[in-house]
Amino acid sequence: LSSLRTQSMDPRIRRAVAKMRENLHYGDNFAELAAESALSRAHFFELFKRSTNLTPAVYANALRVEAAIAELCKPEIRIGDISYNVGFSAPGHFTRFFRQHLGITPGEYRRVVDLMESGQYFDRL
């Protein structure tokens, strides 16, 4: 996601993307983000899609997955805390979302990361 063509991107969309990166909760309210960009919701969606080749919702979901993966690699952060950090109101919503997008639960992902870091993953193959 960081390799978008930001030079050719509309400056309003560039600012919106930066806000989405700074605060993953923006994925919950695109009308607010459109208004902050001084665009109607429809025009915002059109410009966003034209600039990124993704809808704002898909982009927001990708940011959430990216942030979740980074935090799941840090065993000191509890999964419940990660769910709030990446913009979910409840850990169950985060678990469902993560499983839908990656095919495994956050706990399963963390176990694989732990096994790989300890070298035990390859011992089990």
Side-chain angles (χ1 to χ4, degrees):
L1 291 178
S2 59
S3 64
L4 291 174
R5 306 172 316 245
T6 55
Q7 290 80 5
S8 63
M9 188 183 294
D10 183 285
R12 295 166 293 187
I13 300 304
R14 193 176 321 123
R15 282 190 299 275
V17 164
K19 286 181 180 185
M20 290 171 75
R21 284 188 168 283
E22 290 169 15
N23 183 351
L24 297 175
H25 295 273
Y26 267 112
D28 299 332
N29 192 350
F30 296 116
E32 179 183 334
L33 195 54
E36 289 179 15
S37 302
L39 297 166
S40 70
R41 189 175 187 281
H43 194 202
F44 174 76
F45 271 73
E46 180 184 323
L47 276 178
F48 198 100
K49 174 83 175 188
R50 192 178 322 144
S51 296
T52 66
N53 291 322
L54 300 169
T55 66
V58 169
Y59 192 87
N61 284 344
L63 289 175
R64 284 178 165 178
V65 167
E66 185 178 84
I69 287 171
E71 290 197 10
L72 285 166
C73 293
K74 301 173 185 172
E76 69 276 8
I77 304 175
R78 293 181 14 221
I79 291 176
D81 293 336
I82 293 171
S83 71
Y84 297 112
N85 294 348
V86 299
F88 290 91
S89 61
H93 298 308
F94 170 60
T95 297
R96 209 169 16 263
F97 168 86
F98 197 88
R99 187 182 310 122
Q100 282 178 327
H101 288 82
L102 277 86
I104 60 174
T105 67
E108 291 167 337
Y109 183 88
R110 178 170 272 173
R111 279 190 291 284
V112 170
V113 168
D114 291 343
L115 286 171
M116 289 188 77
E117 287 181 352
S118 70
Q120 294 176 18
Y121 178 78
F122 296 105
D123 295 341
R124 293 181 179 212
L125 292 179

